[in-house]
Amino acid sequence: MRLAERMKKINPSTTLAITSKAKKLKSEGKDIVNFAAGEPDFDTPDFIKEEAISAIKAGFTKYTPTTGIPELKKLVCEKFKKDNGLEYSPEQVIVSCGAKHSIFNTLFVLADPGDEVLIPLPYWVSYPEMANLCQATPRFIRTELNNNFKMTAKDLEKNITPKTKVLILNSPSNPTGCVYSREELEVIAKVCVAKKIFVISDEIYEKLIYDGKKHSSIGGFNKDIYELTVTINGLSKSHSMTGWRIGYLGAPKEIAEAISRFQDHSTSNPTSISQRAAVAALSAPDDFSKKLCEEFQKRRDYCVKRLASMKKLEVCVPQGAFYIFFNISKTKLDSNTFANRLLDEKYIALIPGAGFGMDDYCRMSFATSMEQLTKGMDRLEEWLKQ
Ligand SMILES: Cc1ncc(COP(=O)(O)O)c(C=O)c1O
């Protein structure tokens, strides 16, 4: 079949292969410990569900304005101001079907075919594929464990070429959990302003930061970087709403206007019912995400302690998000072999680092119960000793 040329470069999601194998084993009755989850294991809070049910009953089931209902956009503006020091007016805010959709829309309106998109490595699996879908070229900036996988301004400068158009930043990061400080982002911002590079700042894990560390939003530092930055966020992780598909962005007017036009002719509005649920979520105090964060910090502490005691692994201690990225080179296995053998022999599902650009690492998620974490850690320890 003659599919479009652009699809030749698009890889299937690497996280999917291992999770579908785990699902199959589970359906065969195997006692699978799932360390592969990309979503909080908590249910969406009831007050949010209730609002969605009321919306359905009241017949709020039709098209809405493409970029979101005014009430929700106003709340997003207030959130950006309160949490991030970012001043956006409602016409600068676009609500979309998840943060993934917001990032794709942004890349689509910013990157021309042949433009280079800078992506720190390891990266979230979808960034390079989104660049490929836009027929732009992903260019990776390798980062190191000894700097907690954070890109420095020097690393950035070295990778800028005349074709560089966009930098994608992700703090807290998936898969490493690294969190950039304000000072680190300020020097990065200076380079982007000097070289006129757009920044897509993916802040979806903003509410999950540990040890009292603070989140910084690069777009809020000064007018120059504000004019180049699109700030991405959403409710998937902060409110355990992955299935509701609500993400949003704040952008300079011209960019927001282009994204609005693009969304007009692609998906139109995000689901009306989910938008009402999002209004409930953003109107309430942050209690739910605080509770989530406290619980995740306990789990992170437990897992880091257990992994650090396993001599064959080297651990990057995450400061945010709900993943631990650890080095497996001492096992002399590549990440796919490591993950597949662990699944076949010990029924533990985790994600091979190859999908994030690092074949000598694996990513485990601690978005599962303490009971499961303990069981999984015991099995992993036993397996590594063998
Ligand atoms: C770094 C990162 N950005 C964006 C997303 C997408 O979030 P959403 O579910 O809102 O599309 C994810 C989801 O796993 C993620 O890990």
Side-chain angles (χ1 to χ4, degrees):
M1 198 183 292
R2 280 183 60 231
L3 297 179
E5 278 300 307
R6 71 176 81 87
M7 286 314 293
K8 288 197 174 141
K9 274 194 182 165
I10 312 301
N11 297 305
S13 169
T14 42
T15 50
L16 234 61
I18 207 98
T19 40
S20 57
K21 185 170 164 187
K23 269 192 196 137
K24 186 170 170 282
L25 287 168
K26 196 166 181 190
S27 72
E28 291 164 6
K30 302 291 188 295
D31 178 22
I32 300 291
V33 171
N34 186 9
F35 285 172
E39 56 190 354
D41 52 318
F42 287 67
D43 196 1
T44 305
D46 280 342
F47 74 92
I48 298 175
K49 293 183 186 170
E50 296 301 339
E51 182 59 33
I53 293 164
S54 309
I56 295 174
K57 288 193 173 148
F60 195 74
T61 53
K62 302 289 168 62
Y63 292 135
T64 75
T66 291
T67 61
I69 51 176
E71 208 182 339
L72 176 55
K73 290 176 62 162
K74 185 166 165 277
L75 284 164
V76 170
C77 293
E78 286 166 13
K79 182 259 172 258
F80 273 138
K81 186 157 196 286
K82 177 166 82 58
D83 292 347
N84 314 101
L86 283 161
E87 296 269 0
Y88 292 119
S89 59
E91 65 269 31
Q92 292 177 270
V93 164
I94 316 274
V95 185
S96 303
C97 312
K100 189 182 257 186
H101 188 207
S102 306
I103 300 164
F104 181 76
N105 284 352
T106 308
L107 259 184
F108 192 85
V109 309
L110 291 180
D112 273 315
D115 281 347
E116 283 179 1
V117 176
L118 292 177
I119 303 174
L121 181 159
Y123 45 75
W124 179 46
V125 288
S126 292
Y127 297 145
E129 304 306 341
M130 286 183 188
N132 284 330
L133 279 167
C134 296
Q135 291 169 292
T137 309
R139 186 180 167 108
F140 302 112
I141 304 180
R142 203 184 158 90
T143 62
E144 302 297 337
L145 174 62
N146 60 18
N147 193 36
N148 281 322
F149 292 113
K150 286 189 266 190
M151 174 191 72
T152 64
K154 267 202 186 121
D155 298 330
L156 172 60
E157 265 172 335
K158 271 193 280 183
N159 282 282
I160 294 172
T161 75
K163 287 185 174 169
T164 308
K165 187 76 172 284
V166 185
L167 164 70
I168 304 185
L169 274 180
N170 177 213
S171 174
S173 141
N174 176 6
T176 67
C178 79
V179 174
Y180 286 75
S181 68
R182 186 181 170 104
E183 293 70 34
E184 287 162 339
L185 287 175
E186 272 172 354
V187 282
I188 289 171
K190 265 193 194 148
V191 176
C192 292
V193 168
K195 304 283 184 182
K196 298 215 168 12
I197 295 168
F198 289 109
V199 179
I200 299 178
S201 181
D202 178 355
E203 305 182 10
I204 191 79
Y205 294 99
E206 170 194 16
K207 297 287 175 186
L208 300 173
I209 297 193
Y210 311 120
D211 306 324
K213 279 210 154 41
K214 291 268 170 299
H215 174 76
S216 279
S217 292
I218 191 167
F221 294 168
N222 58 56
K223 192 168 178 312
D224 292 336
I225 191 68
Y226 175 88
E227 290 299 337
L228 291 168
T229 303
V230 177
T231 311
I232 309 282
N233 215 318
L235 300 176
S236 291
K237 319 288 173 172
S238 60
H239 291 78
S240 241
M241 288 177 69
T242 46
W244 299 73
R245 310 311 299 135
I246 293 288
Y248 54 81
L249 62 83
K253 275 204 177 100
E254 211 177 323
I255 300 178
E257 192 276 326
I259 295 174
S260 166
R261 259 185 293 144
F262 176 46
Q263 194 160 294
D264 260 343
H265 298 295
S266 47
T267 56
S268 299
N269 61 276
T271 311
S272 59
I273 303 150
S274 295
Q275 288 190 63
R276 293 289 330 164
V279 166
L282 287 178
S283 309
D286 263 353
D287 299 351
F288 179 76
S289 54
K290 282 190 186 134
K291 197 177 98 199
L292 202 63
C293 189
E294 274 169 29
E295 176 60 25
F296 281 169
Q297 176 153 341
K298 280 187 216 148
R299 297 179 188 179
R300 180 210 58 167
D301 290 346
Y302 171 76
C303 294
V304 165
K305 200 165 153 216
R306 291 292 307 266
L307 291 171
S309 73
M310 301 179 201
K311 292 202 175 58
K312 286 195 179 135
L313 307 178
E314 200 179 350
V315 180
C316 171
V317 180
Q319 298 153 328
F322 42 74
Y323 310 104
I324 303 179
F325 205 52
F326 54 87
N327 187 295
I328 54 163
S329 20
K330 282 188 197 149
T331 64
K332 302 212 165 42
L333 300 174
D334 63 66
S335 63
N336 275 300
T337 312
F338 185 99
N340 276 293
R341 279 192 53 190
L342 195 57
L343 184 54
D344 292 336
E345 295 168 27
K346 286 286 173 192
Y347 303 131
I348 298 173
L350 47 67
I351 307 294
F356 309 105
M358 282 196 161
D359 204 12
D360 46 355
Y361 279 79
C362 276
R363 187 198 78 178
M364 74 158 280
S365 156
F366 49 87
T368 186
S369 70
M370 264 302 206
E371 186 205 338
Q372 288 294 302
L373 290 172
T374 311
K375 193 195 278 188
M377 285 296 159
D378 290 347
R379 287 188 196 173
L380 176 62
E381 192 168 37
E382 209 177 274
W383 184 71
L384 286 169
K385 274 185 189 151
Q386 283 165 12

